[in-house]
Amino acid sequence: MTNRTPSPRGMPLLDRGVGPLLMLPATLLVVVFLVGPFYYMVYAALTDLSFADASHAGAFVGFDNFRKLMRNDPFFWASFLLTLKFVVIAVGLEFLLGFALAFLIFRFVASQRLLTTLLLIPMMIAPVAVGLIWRLLLQGDFGMLTFYMRKVGLLAQNSAVLSAPDLVFPTIVAIDVWQWTPFVTLIMLAGMMSLPRAPFEAAMMDGAKPFQIFRNVMLPLLRPVIALVLLLRGIDAFKEFDKVFLMTGGGPGTLTELVSIYAYRVNFRNWDLGYGAAVAFMIYLVVLILCSVFYKAVYWSSRKQVGAF
């Protein structure tokens, strides 16, 4: 029996050398919507472009914007530290609550389809809609939650949650936790359901107690999933904008002015586009560094521990 070379007409498309052609539309989209704007941001950050000052027409100024940002802009650093505080508190609470809910569902709920479907509801609402809904609920004059909070004595008659300096930041954290805890729950639940049974059975045969199995078997196996969840939620929380902007606009004062809202104010209220591009680039750079350090420190160490186990 002789081997016959298949004709080009009968070969798969990828074997005909048309793979790069099929990738061309996606590559163009990436270049147009990601690579192009990024390089323009870097270019604008090196200029003095400003729509509010006719004398600043985009002349090249080198790293002057970055020097000003690092040395003479307390508002940027205040918003940056506030964003870090928001990320640590919100993501920390979301992880603790999501992990606990996932563990309870994994251990004690037999039929999980209905419950997991209900958990998707807050995630399915657009962040803009979430901001508008909670702004209406907490509105000072006719907000429903404001009315009942005043009724039971949790809020003074002439005050509102979103304008109270001591309540507004915990409120935006609580709303973010309400929306994104189900995301952590579903990812952790999927991770728990995919764990191999052999290590648990071996630990039970060795007489390990439930807490020992949880600490020494389940957690090491779940560390890659935990790293992924914290990484995704950390990135998303750091660039939080829409909900907070719609609810508070960064106020009262600058008590909720996250770094993304500060970048919006510099670019689209002050129209200082050169300096605003430098702010945006610093946000990108810091997030990239933090994510890289976090990924290497948590994910690769967890792989070694799981391999050793």
Side-chain angles (χ1 to χ4, degrees):
M1 182 177 182
T2 59
N3 294 328
R4 298 178 59 185
T5 303
S7 63
R9 181 175 298 179
M11 296 173 62
L13 286 176
L14 293 180
D15 293 338
R16 299 185 199 177
V18 298
L21 184 62
L22 296 176
M23 294 174 59
L24 183 60
T27 305
L28 290 177
L29 288 175
V30 170
V31 171
V32 171
F33 292 106
L34 293 179
V35 179
F38 174 78
Y39 280 104
Y40 181 77
M41 176 188 68
V42 175
Y43 165 76
L46 302 176
T47 68
D48 65 349
L49 181 63
S50 174
F51 288 172
D53 190 345
S55 62
H56 293 171
F60 182 79
V61 295
F63 293 98
D64 288 351
N65 289 326
F66 293 98
R67 280 192 287 268
K68 176 184 175 182
L69 184 67
M70 299 296 292
R71 299 176 182 176
N72 303 317
D73 192 348
F75 296 103
F76 169 78
W77 291 110
S79 63
F80 181 79
L81 293 176
L82 182 68
T83 304
L84 286 181
K85 179 181 176 182
F86 174 80
V87 170
V88 171
I89 297 176
V91 176
L93 290 174
E94 289 162 11
F95 173 72
L96 292 177
L97 293 174
F99 189 93
L101 285 173
F103 185 76
L104 292 175
I105 295 173
F106 178 70
R107 288 294 304 272
F108 303 109
V109 178
S111 179
Q112 301 172 356
R113 292 185 178 180
L114 177 61
L115 188 57
T116 53
T117 303
L118 294 176
L119 286 174
L120 288 171
I121 294 176
M123 297 168 47
M124 294 171 62
I125 305 176
V128 173
V130 172
L132 291 175
I133 290 170
W134 283 100
R135 180 179 178 180
L136 291 174
L137 291 175
L138 298 173
Q139 210 274 340
D141 296 326
F142 52 82
M144 184 176 67
L145 288 183
T146 301
F147 172 79
Y148 285 111
M149 291 174 69
R150 291 171 178 171
K151 202 78 171 175
V152 299
L154 295 177
L155 191 65
Q157 291 297 323
N158 296 325
S159 63
V161 173
L162 296 180
S163 61
D166 55 340
L167 295 178
V168 62
F169 184 78
T171 300
I172 65 171
V173 170
I175 293 172
D176 194 78
V177 170
W178 169 81
Q179 184 180 19
W180 291 112
T181 295
F183 171 79
V184 180
T185 301
L186 293 176
I187 297 297
M188 295 308 305
L189 180 61
M192 293 176 185
M193 295 175 66
S194 65
L195 293 178
R197 297 183 58 88
F200 294 90
E201 295 173 353
M204 293 176 62
M205 293 179 61
D206 291 338
K209 297 180 180 180
F211 180 75
Q212 293 175 326
I213 295 176
F214 173 79
R215 184 184 64 183
N216 299 322
V217 179
M218 178 176 281
L219 282 182
L221 292 174
L222 283 176
R223 278 177 182 168
V225 182
I226 293 173
L228 177 64
V229 167
L230 293 178
L231 186 65
L232 293 177
R233 280 302 307 135
I235 295 173
D236 194 54
F238 194 90
K239 60 186 181 65
E240 175 62 47
F241 173 81
D242 30 25
K243 291 198 303 289
V244 179
F245 182 78
L246 286 171
M247 288 188 295
T248 68
T254 57
L255 292 178
T256 59
E257 189 177 66
L258 304 177
V259 70
S260 57
I261 298 178
Y262 175 73
Y264 168 83
R265 177 162 66 89
V266 173
N267 280 283
F268 302 112
R269 288 185 178 176
N270 301 341
W271 291 109
D272 193 353
L273 300 183
Y275 187 67
V279 174
F281 180 81
M282 287 300 297
I283 296 172
Y284 167 82
L285 183 63
V286 171
V287 171
L288 182 65
I289 293 173
L290 291 177
C291 291
S292 178
V293 171
F294 182 84
Y295 183 84
K296 291 180 180 178
V298 177
Y299 185 74
W300 290 110
S301 63
S302 66
R303 287 192 62 182
K304 292 180 182 179
Q305 292 180 9
V306 173
F309 178 81

